[in-house]
Amino acid sequence: GMMSQMEDGTLVVDDISHHETEVLLELLKPDLVCAGIKEKYVVQKHGIPLKQLHSYDYGGPYAGFKGAINFYREIDRLVNGAVWKKIKAPWDINPELSGSYTDLAGAI
């Protein structure tokens, strides 16, 4: 129903993967993301606030005029929260991975 009403160039992604989410974050550099629980931690690791839309676990209800006020207050709190400016992703601090392996073929 909504697709026919959307403007040309509108991007709709259904069942987005972790990699696709990271690519969109790098490309679009959003100030806020509204999505579901699956995307929550991927987005927040990048220091971007996320409003979970699939449940009222952290707020709501959003129905009617009072609901719109509730939603606005939560979005304002997310965007203006100082914590997001203080978070550094682990790969920004130390981008190198290290590891080791053992050659088991010689032990058999």
Side-chain angles (χ1 to χ4, degrees):
M2 289 179 17
M3 300 301 262
S4 62
Q5 298 173 14
M6 292 181 179
E7 295 181 19
D8 290 343
T10 300
L11 176 65
V12 177
V13 181
D14 185 30
D15 198 23
I16 194 168
S17 72
H18 184 112
H19 174 72
E20 291 167 330
T21 302
E22 288 190 334
V23 169
L24 283 176
L25 294 176
E26 294 289 325
L27 183 68
L28 301 175
K29 301 191 183 330
D31 295 317
L32 170 74
V33 173
C34 294
I37 189 68
K38 184 176 81 172
E39 297 81 25
K40 178 180 179 172
Y41 300 107
V42 177
V43 172
Q44 289 180 343
K45 284 182 196 176
H46 286 270
I48 301 168
L50 180 133
K51 176 61 188 149
Q52 186 179 330
L53 296 178
H54 295 178
S55 74
Y56 291 155
D57 289 348
Y58 307 111
Y62 305 132
F65 183 74
K66 287 184 179 182
I69 293 170
N70 289 340
F71 188 75
Y72 167 78
R73 285 184 178 145
E74 291 178 26
I75 296 298
D76 180 60
R77 180 181 53 84
L78 284 167
V79 172
N80 293 311
V83 68
W84 298 108
K85 294 167 183 63
K86 296 179 181 191
I87 292 176
K88 283 274 190 204
W91 52 84
D92 287 338
I93 297 166
N94 187 9
E96 294 182 29
L97 294 175
S98 62
S100 62
Y101 66 94
T102 304
D103 181 11
L104 297 176
I108 300 175

